[in-house]
Amino acid sequence: MNAWSGKIIVTFAVIFVPLFLVYRYVEGQHESQALEVATLEAATPSVALIQAQLSPATDSITLPGTIEGWYEAPIYARVEGYVKAWYKDYGSLVKKGDILAEINTPDLDAEYRQAHADLESERAKNALAQLTAQRYLAMREHQALSEQAISVQLAEAKAEAAKLAAAEQKVKNIEAFIGFKQIVAPFDGVVIQRNINVGDLVSKEGSISTTNAKNNLFTVAVVEKLRLFVSVPANFGPFLNPGLTAEVTVPQLPHRHFTFDFLTVAQGFDVNTRTAVTVFTIDNKDRKLWPGSYATVRLTAPVESGVMTIPTSAMVFQEHGAQVAVLTEDDTIHYKPIVVAKMLDSTVEVQEGISEGDRIVNNPSSALLEGDKVHIVKPARGYDLVTEEGMVHKASTPKEPLPNAL
């Protein structure tokens, strides 16, 4: 019995031990292959792709601007004196000819009185000269006086008449300046500046109550219609034509957009800034917009075709300039140089270098080299920095987007 049991054990060992060894060898081969695959996968960089989109066939630019009244008149004094009273304050509605302020002019008043006194003196002298000339003429018939004396007297009479006319004109001139003692509104509008107070010394240079303050007395503006002044760069010059509109926002009304219409443009560029002053206009019946406002101006004009746009995160800056990393057919990296037309907040307009069919790596690692093999992944929702909606919004036609960037 014991001999039989020993034979069974030996037979079992002869059969199953080689089978176990073969199993362990095959399992080890599979584990080695799996480890090799896992190692290769771990060594292959993972990338996410985006697709360049064709922007709408428009060109846009955002610029600062200044809003001014249709008419704005800084008002200065024509005579020197002291402010007697002012009658219109900031924001006052005025009609043409309304009195804004009055000025006391003691020097001018004294000059006016002196001119009147001089006029009366010249009148007396002229009367005497004319009477004497008539008497000389009367004595000519009797040859009581020489012709020389008569000629001299007639000339003196003419000179006195001329002096009288000059004195009369001087009085009229001063009377004209006396009319400027009242500061009046030049047109219907709103007072947007008042730089004087009662007692201030004013002159033709403005208020000179202090040596460093020489300002206009008032500024009156027409606000029912406004002008917008924008300095537009030269590359946008071809679009500055009638029909162009400007979308405008102002700090005091950030949620309201205003549309200004093109009015005119300077037919030349400033040599210092290479910009052209462009004027737009808008009706402002509700007076929500105020002169002097800072404006954010967005100009949009049609162009022949759109440009390719990519997110800024897809652009690479290297020694050769701006580039993008694209995948070839065998999923290897190839860097393509691009020409940037315009950089916006989150996107870049590319003038040349890419096409809509390119598979572009978004946010490429600095470790990626030309010819590297990569693995394409799809980012998890909520982790993508480039929204699919944003890219589709910029596209001219809906397309099925490639996976977005990590």
Side-chain angles (χ1 to χ4, degrees):
M1 185 68 180
N2 290 334
W4 180 250
S5 298
K7 291 180 179 179
I8 294 175
I9 293 173
V10 170
T11 303
F12 181 84
V14 170
I15 295 173
F16 287 100
V17 168
L19 291 176
F20 177 76
L21 294 176
V22 171
Y23 168 75
R24 289 298 303 163
Y25 175 77
V26 173
E27 185 179 14
Q29 290 295 322
H30 284 299
E31 289 178 352
S32 176
Q33 292 176 359
L35 179 61
E36 181 180 0
V37 171
T39 302
L40 290 175
E41 289 182 352
T44 302
S46 297
V47 298
L49 303 180
I50 55 97
Q51 187 177 23
Q53 302 289 344
L54 185 64
S55 68
T58 58
D59 192 9
S60 299
I61 189 171
T62 301
L63 299 167
T66 301
I67 297 175
E68 296 185 7
W70 185 251
Y71 298 125
E72 287 191 17
I75 301 173
Y76 291 81
R78 290 299 309 279
V79 294
E80 184 171 328
Y82 299 92
V83 177
K84 177 182 179 181
W86 54 264
Y87 304 108
K88 301 296 181 181
D89 205 352
Y90 292 97
S92 297
L93 299 178
V94 295
K95 296 290 185 181
K96 181 177 180 180
D98 284 355
I99 299 175
L100 306 179
E102 288 185 324
I103 302 173
N104 279 328
T105 57
D107 296 342
L108 183 63
D109 294 342
E111 186 179 354
Y112 182 59
R113 291 191 294 271
Q114 181 64 50
H116 260 295
D118 293 341
L119 176 60
E120 293 301 323
S121 175
E122 292 298 334
R123 283 174 176 170
K125 292 178 179 179
N126 179 66
L128 177 59
Q130 298 302 326
L131 179 60
T132 304
Q134 291 175 3
R135 289 176 177 174
Y136 273 44
L137 288 174
M139 288 186 288
R140 173 183 283 177
E141 297 179 358
H142 304 286
Q143 297 182 349
L145 297 171
S146 66
E147 285 295 323
Q148 176 66 24
I150 296 174
S151 298
V152 170
Q153 187 58 46
L154 291 176
E156 289 180 356
K158 290 181 179 180
E160 290 298 334
K163 290 180 181 179
L164 175 60
E168 290 175 344
Q169 186 60 48
K170 184 177 180 180
V171 171
K172 292 178 181 179
N173 292 345
I174 297 175
E175 288 175 346
F177 276 101
I178 287 176
F180 291 115
K181 293 170 67 173
Q182 292 183 334
I183 308 300
V184 298
F187 44 72
D188 297 353
V190 177
V191 175
I192 62 173
Q193 277 189 340
R194 175 184 61 80
N195 298 319
I196 58 171
N197 277 305
V198 174
D200 282 353
L201 175 63
V202 297
S203 72
K204 295 179 182 180
E205 295 180 334
S207 173
I208 56 174
S209 55
T210 61
T211 57
N212 296 324
K214 296 182 179 180
N215 304 313
N216 56 303
L217 310 186
F218 293 89
T219 299
V220 177
V222 173
V223 298
E224 286 77 12
K225 194 171 185 179
L226 301 175
R227 301 176 195 260
L228 170 67
F229 291 85
V230 187
S231 294
V232 181
N235 60 348
F236 211 82
F239 308 122
L240 301 177
N241 298 304
L244 180 67
T245 59
E247 297 299 321
V248 175
T249 58
V250 292
Q252 62 268 30
L253 298 170
H255 302 296
R256 183 170 175 181
H257 293 259
F258 300 88
T259 301
F260 283 69
D261 297 318
F262 177 87
L263 180 62
T264 187
V265 61
Q267 298 296 319
F269 294 105
D270 187 309
V271 295
N272 295 316
T273 62
R274 304 302 178 186
T275 58
V277 176
T278 308
V279 186
F280 296 83
T281 183
I282 191 174
D283 288 329
N284 189 41
K285 300 299 183 183
D286 58 0
R287 298 180 181 174
K288 293 296 184 181
L289 292 173
W290 295 352
S293 296
Y294 172 86
T296 301
V297 184
R298 183 173 180 83
L299 303 178
T300 302
V303 294
E304 293 182 359
S305 62
V307 296
M308 304 305 298
T309 61
I310 59 173
T312 54
S313 57
M315 191 166 57
V316 178
F317 291 99
Q318 294 187 352
E319 60 183 6
H320 301 296
Q323 296 178 325
V324 292
V326 300
L327 291 190
T328 61
E329 294 181 356
D330 58 350
D331 292 341
T332 58
I333 294 293
H334 172 58
Y335 285 97
K336 297 180 68 175
I338 59 174
V339 177
V340 177
K342 186 186 300 182
M343 295 191 67
L344 306 177
D345 293 336
S346 59
T347 59
V348 177
E349 293 185 356
V350 180
Q351 184 175 341
E352 59 182 55
I354 58 175
S355 63
E356 290 185 87
D358 287 338
R359 297 187 298 166
I360 301 174
V361 178
N362 189 42
N363 198 18
S365 170
S366 59
L368 286 178
L369 301 177
E370 180 75 21
D372 281 355
K373 188 77 172 179
V374 296
H375 176 241
I376 302 173
V377 297
K378 184 176 181 179
R381 183 176 295 275
Y383 184 69
D384 190 4
L385 296 178
V386 181
T387 62
E388 183 175 305
E389 292 78 11
M391 295 302 293
V392 172
H393 176 71
K394 290 182 175 291
S396 57
T397 56
K399 296 179 181 179
E400 182 67 25
L402 292 174
N404 286 339
L406 282 170

